[in-house]
Amino acid sequence: MKERNLRDAIQQFKSGIKKTDYGKVKGNRDYLSVAYRLKFCREYFGESMSIQTDSIELSNGSHKFKANIFLNDKLVSVGESKQMSNKEKDFEKSQTVSIGRGLSLLGFFGDEIASKDEMEVFLQDDKPFDNKKELPKLKTNGKTKTPKILADEWIEQLKKVAQHSVSVGKFEQNLNPIRQEYLSDLKQINSDLIQQARIDQEYISLQKQITNRKQ
């Protein structure tokens, strides 16, 4: 049996999306659910795709989730999320969000980068674990940086690395040491769903640019 190609899968996924496949979230915006993306991948790849999720309990009682997506036993994408509140079933929802992010990074998204499940968690009115109303800020060299500023800086780093990467694999390899350098910034950005979505979208866009340069 011929190995199922990831690029072909993404093209088939996008071409098969109908308007009725989108769900609605607050503000009457359209988003695909994680279940929709997952169903397609399961049917297309079968047992050649597997997803492993891990959770880490944080000091405030919430959890951080990480979804590792494997294709033919090779790690191809990683999605992360953080539990935003202690509402019933929120643990499971946040775990689903991490899977959705991983699938989005892999290329399985519609006209949006965040999933319906992800936006529902973000837009919920429940009291979050962190009671601070302001967005988290990080002080660097005496200056306060918001997640948006940190995201802008990280996106610039992604662009620089992509410019000098001859393949997507090399792009990922070149990013690894820089990720370690920016680790604290990336953790801070991860607390802001919108900024993380911006980074995810830019990351996917740069991967496409690198792939197109080779053609």
Side-chain angles (χ1 to χ4, degrees):
M1 178 180 174
K2 183 180 179 181
E3 184 176 300
R4 311 229 70 173
N5 182 277
L6 180 59
R7 183 182 299 180
D8 291 343
I10 294 171
Q11 290 177 348
Q12 184 173 320
F13 172 81
K14 289 182 178 294
S15 64
I17 298 173
K18 304 180 183 66
K19 186 66 177 178
T20 54
D21 292 328
Y22 286 95
K24 298 287 186 181
V25 294
K26 188 176 179 179
N28 202 36
R29 287 172 288 185
D30 294 332
Y31 289 91
L32 289 175
S33 69
V34 173
Y36 178 91
R37 306 171 193 218
L38 194 55
K39 180 176 182 293
F40 174 88
C41 290
R42 292 296 191 196
E43 292 178 350
Y44 190 93
F45 293 107
E47 295 182 358
S48 62
M49 174 177 280
S50 61
I51 300 175
Q52 297 177 358
T53 58
D54 298 309
S55 66
I56 300 174
E57 185 172 359
L58 305 177
S59 58
N60 61 2
S62 65
H63 288 77
K64 182 176 181 179
F65 296 87
K66 182 177 182 181
N68 296 312
I69 301 178
F70 296 86
L71 187 58
N72 297 314
D73 297 323
K74 179 182 178 181
L75 181 64
V76 291
S77 185
V78 177
E80 294 186 346
S81 68
K82 183 181 178 183
Q83 189 176 357
M84 300 297 288
S85 76
N86 56 1
K87 181 183 176 182
E88 184 181 2
K89 295 186 178 180
D90 189 63
F91 183 96
E92 291 83 359
K93 286 183 179 179
S94 299
Q95 185 179 44
T96 300
V97 166
S98 68
I99 296 173
R101 278 191 175 178
L103 291 173
S104 293
L105 284 171
L106 199 54
F108 296 99
F109 60 94
D111 295 330
E112 79 301 324
I113 183 68
S115 67
K116 177 176 181 290
D117 312 69
E118 190 170 351
M119 291 307 298
E120 284 179 343
V121 170
F122 176 67
L123 294 169
Q124 64 185 323
D125 295 324
D126 302 276
K127 183 179 179 181
F129 280 99
D130 187 353
N131 293 328
K132 297 178 181 178
K133 293 183 179 180
E134 294 183 357
L135 290 173
K137 297 179 180 180
L138 182 67
K139 288 187 176 181
T140 306
N141 298 326
K143 296 181 180 179
T144 300
K145 293 188 177 182
T146 64
K148 182 181 184 305
I149 294 174
L150 295 174
D152 288 341
E153 293 178 351
W154 178 244
I155 287 173
E156 286 304 311
Q157 288 297 322
L158 289 176
K159 290 180 179 178
K160 289 179 182 178
V161 174
Q163 186 177 0
H164 300 286
S165 299
V166 297
S167 67
V168 172
K170 199 66 177 177
F171 177 48
E172 189 64 31
Q173 183 180 341
N174 292 338
L175 276 177
N176 286 334
I178 301 178
R179 282 197 181 104
Q180 293 301 315
E181 181 182 346
Y182 280 78
L183 188 59
S184 61
D185 288 7
L186 294 174
K187 288 180 179 178
Q188 193 80 359
I189 294 168
N190 186 253
S191 66
D192 188 318
L193 194 62
I194 297 299
Q195 300 308 321
Q196 184 62 54
R198 283 183 58 218
I199 289 175
D200 293 346
Q201 192 167 25
E202 185 66 33
Y203 180 78
I204 292 171
S205 176
L206 290 170
Q207 283 185 318
K208 291 179 179 178
Q209 291 178 29
I210 294 170
T211 300
N212 290 337
R213 284 205 306 258
K214 295 176 63 179
Q215 296 177 351

